[in-house]
Amino acid sequence: MSDLLLFVESNTTGTGREFARRAASLGAVPVLVTTDPDRYPYVRADGLRHIVADTSVTEEVLRVAAELQRDGRVRGVTSSSEYYVPTAAAVARSLGLPGPAPEQVSRCRNKGAQRRVLHEAGVPVPAFEVVTSEAEAASAATRLGLPVVVKPVLGSGSLGVRLCADERAVAEHAAELLAHTTNERGMSLPREVLVESYVRGREFSVEMFGSRVVTVVRKHIGPLPHFVELGHDVPAGLRPEERDLLGSLAQRAVRALGLGWGASHTEIRLDGGRGHVVEVNPRLAGGRIPDLVGHALGVDLVQAQIGAALGDAVATEPRHRRHSAIRFLTADGPCTVGRPEEAVRGAHAVPGVVDAALYRATGAAAGPPVDFRDRLGHVTAVADDPDEAGAAAEAGIDRLRATLRYDEDRKQA
């Protein structure tokens, strides 16, 4: 009788495909439960077993699990999509399987509720208010002090996050966010917006597994007013006291939120020796950070997450210590993609580059980034020295950038 591992939906980029592959490598049969398998091209390409069901309803996923028990033993339930982690957790608990606490995960996903818990626990966070109208948003911005960051209480991947310099910009962006009743997955959104003080300084993320800090990541953020992540360095180049401060802050935040099962991804701003927790995500990091951790430390976080869902013992101690870096390609203005194959070959030719890709086909239009969906490609590099890894990734991006044809270029051609 086969051991089955249910995946409730998937993320559309990054680790979704790897989740299924790691499950198979650990002897389990991966089964994707989804409302739309065509959302994930790898499903058809890999011949992944899948079942169509309404994944917005926990009872529907439980019904699928009950039917599958006739074919094998459902040994685990998880998700690589932040949107469906609460559903996967609820299903796992109902079946008596390993997973995070559904209540804590759901509370953590709501940025307003998360902030209240962290603030009450004494974990430093940006000053904030949760509002339900554009007028409330403008008033909150005045009280907090401009500029402020305005964002949805439920979201992912920098979607809808914007720095607003004045009350008018605050009100306009809040009105725009409040007008959305569902997100890009068709899930209902609360009529709430988070307004928070803008914390300057460098941005990092702390990758944890259970209660253990695996590594600290340096994040490179694109031009304001948006907060698109344009690169990561693993591990971050920090003094020991800074690394310890960030790790301790993340551990405090995870404990306060009642987490501690599996992977967590905590984003922190460090300014003048003081850290502020921006948010805690009860999942693996995106932005190909798990790949970087594997290259730099020999730790397979995807396999660890799958192993935890199956109830296996997992190890996340470093097996070696190198440095990895990723840089994402974005456009500076309206443009089209030229010949991606040549650009990718050129990036791979840079010493130290281990991976390069362009996400758009020849002739595809592009523009400046507003959120992660506007990233056009990436280059990953590995070296024994952090500066060498970063420089190689940058050089690879320069090769990819050469394929972009801006409007002025086309006019002159």
Side-chain angles (χ1 to χ4, degrees):
M1 207 174 198
S2 301
D3 285 339
L4 308 177
L5 179 57
L6 267 60
F7 294 106
V8 183
E9 298 291 350
S10 168
N11 51 349
T12 52
T13 60
T15 56
R17 184 179 221 165
E18 295 307 313
F19 264 56
R21 289 179 171 178
R22 295 298 197 285
S25 73
L26 292 174
V29 177
V31 181
L32 177 69
V33 185
T34 175
T35 58
D36 180 13
D38 292 333
R39 181 186 290 272
Y40 316 111
Y42 73 87
V43 171
R44 307 285 185 191
D46 295 355
L48 179 64
R49 183 176 178 183
H50 59 276
I51 296 174
V52 176
D54 185 355
T55 50
S56 67
V57 180
T58 300
E59 290 72 20
E60 279 295 295
V61 182
L62 282 168
R63 178 187 59 78
V64 169
E67 293 178 355
L68 284 170
Q69 297 280 22
R70 303 169 191 164
D71 301 332
R73 177 176 66 132
V74 176
R75 191 174 153 199
V77 184
T78 189
S79 179
S80 61
S81 169
E82 178 175 334
Y83 297 115
Y84 296 93
V85 168
T87 302
V91 173
R93 171 170 285 186
S94 295
L95 298 177
L97 297 171
E103 302 85 358
Q104 276 79 0
V105 169
S106 295
R107 182 178 63 180
C108 186
R109 280 221 63 236
N110 185 297
K111 293 178 173 61
Q114 180 189 127
R115 284 288 176 77
R116 293 187 189 100
V117 172
L118 294 177
H119 176 69
E120 290 169 3
V123 177
V125 296
F128 70 97
E129 291 189 30
V130 177
V131 301
T132 58
S133 72
E134 52 266 43
E136 288 181 7
S139 297
T142 299
R143 287 188 293 272
L144 294 171
L146 292 161
V148 294
V149 179
V150 181
K151 62 176 70 171
V153 295
L154 292 179
S156 180
S158 70
L159 289 168
V161 182
R162 187 175 301 173
L163 182 68
C164 298
D166 54 50
E167 288 185 17
R168 179 178 178 179
V170 170
E172 289 178 350
H173 189 51
E176 180 183 344
L177 294 177
L178 291 167
H180 295 292
T181 57
T182 59
N183 65 13
E184 63 274 16
R185 294 290 188 117
M187 305 170 80
S188 296
L189 292 173
R191 189 174 170 77
E192 293 181 334
V193 166
L194 184 67
V195 181
E196 65 183 26
S197 297
Y198 173 52
V199 178
R200 292 173 171 79
R202 296 170 291 166
E203 185 162 326
F204 301 89
S205 68
V206 179
E207 311 309 320
M208 291 179 56
F209 204 90
S211 59
R212 181 179 181 275
V213 174
V214 176
T215 193
V216 179
V217 180
R218 173 69 193 275
K219 306 171 83 68
H220 300 269
I221 308 300
L224 299 171
H226 308 292
F227 292 84
V228 182
E229 295 175 1
L230 300 186
H232 311 296
D233 299 329
V234 178
L238 289 165
R239 298 191 302 273
E241 61 271 21
E242 292 176 323
R243 184 177 62 248
D244 293 345
L245 168 65
L246 295 173
S248 175
L249 262 181
Q251 289 174 320
R252 288 172 57 193
V254 165
R255 284 197 302 269
L257 291 165
L259 304 176
W261 182 91
S264 63
H265 168 70
T266 302
E267 297 175 353
I268 302 174
R269 283 257 170 160
L270 184 61
D271 183 24
R274 179 172 172 77
H276 290 81
V277 174
V278 176
E279 64 183 59
V280 180
N281 300 282
R283 57 166 173 80
L284 282 175
R288 310 190 75 87
I289 289 175
D291 290 343
L292 297 179
V293 174
H295 288 304
L297 304 177
V299 177
D300 191 333
L301 288 175
V302 175
Q303 183 160 312
Q305 189 78 346
I306 295 300
L310 293 172
D312 295 338
V314 298
T316 55
E317 292 78 18
R319 299 170 62 184
H320 58 248
R321 295 189 183 277
R322 301 192 74 194
H323 293 270
S324 60
I326 190 169
R327 298 292 183 267
F328 293 100
L329 176 67
T330 57
D332 297 326
C335 63
T336 56
V337 175
R339 297 177 179 174
E341 297 83 3
E342 292 183 8
V344 170
R345 283 196 295 271
H348 273 292
V350 175
V353 168
V354 296
D355 184 37
L358 274 165
Y359 312 149
R360 309 287 176 90
T362 301
V370 173
D371 58 57
F372 78 100
R373 295 172 298 184
D374 297 314
R375 297 189 298 212
L376 307 176
H378 73 267
V379 173
T380 303
V382 182
D384 292 325
D385 177 83
D387 292 335
E388 288 180 10
E394 295 282 1
I397 285 294
D398 286 341
R399 302 285 180 92
L400 292 190
R401 188 174 289 115
T403 196
L404 300 183
R405 298 187 62 195
Y406 287 91
D407 288 352
E408 294 79 6
D409 299 333
R410 293 204 305 273
K411 291 175 183 176
Q412 295 171 4

